[in-house]
Amino acid sequence: MPFTTYYTSAFYKIEIDLKGNLLRSEWLRHVTEDELIFGATKLYEALRDTKVERAIANGKVLGALGPKPKDWMAAEFYELLSQTNLKKLARVLPDSVFHKLALESVISRAEAQGKTRFDVKSFTDNEEALRWLLA
């Protein structure tokens, strides 16, 4: 798949394959609350600008999230994503059970509030996530 870089920084990378209708993003290190919100907003902008329908978000290296980013993600981030053409979002979660549960609780809250208008599934590795996206 011919991915091109949409955005890159010291902590986050977004690549797009327009022909394959696929976006992949990856957190490159543990981030601050502001970096997480900034990067997540870049993800929204990429989906909005490219109209891509499938995305894989690799958060394997994310650590603990504080209440501010968790609240923002549950209340606003997933609603922003729902305003794009996104149909399927595959999330690759950290190995830590604590961090994994924290991220799962965010999506559960967003879904309970009706903020997600796309399919979301969590995975432990990229290959498994990609298979689901392409199915």
Side-chain angles (χ1 to χ4, degrees):
M1 287 177 263
F3 283 94
T4 56
T5 300
Y6 178 90
Y7 172 80
T8 188
S9 72
F11 59 88
Y12 194 51
K13 175 174 63 173
I14 300 172
E15 297 172 315
I16 309 276
D17 173 4
L18 287 175
K19 191 176 244 182
N21 196 22
L22 186 62
L23 175 149
R24 72 179 171 203
S25 67
E26 182 177 9
W27 295 100
L28 304 175
R29 63 168 167 77
H30 181 67
V31 294
T32 66
E33 292 182 354
D34 290 339
E35 287 171 338
L36 182 105
I37 292 170
F38 181 84
T41 302
K42 284 291 181 194
L43 175 62
Y44 156 70
E45 291 169 356
L47 288 166
R48 177 196 67 199
D49 295 349
T50 63
K51 311 269 191 270
V52 168
E53 296 179 348
R54 297 174 299 177
I56 183 168
N58 188 329
K60 210 62 161 151
V61 299
L62 286 179
L65 299 179
K68 177 185 168 189
K70 287 198 305 192
D71 289 345
W72 178 82
M73 288 177 75
E76 297 179 43
F77 175 62
Y78 286 105
E79 186 166 356
L80 285 173
L81 294 186
S82 289
Q83 295 170 15
T84 70
N85 288 4
L86 186 64
K87 303 278 187 260
K88 290 174 90 173
L89 174 63
R91 303 182 324 151
V92 181
L93 300 183
D95 293 327
S96 161
V97 172
F98 174 74
H99 298 147
K100 194 179 295 185
L101 288 174
L103 288 167
E104 287 289 2
S105 73
V106 169
I107 192 64
S108 295
R109 283 173 44 200
E111 288 174 335
Q113 296 171 21
K115 305 281 185 184
T116 56
R117 293 180 202 59
F118 49 88
D119 292 333
V120 182
K121 193 165 179 181
S122 299
F123 299 90
T124 55
D125 68 71
N126 267 324
E127 298 309 314
E128 188 182 3
L130 190 57
R131 277 193 298 275
W132 176 75
L133 273 183
L134 299 176

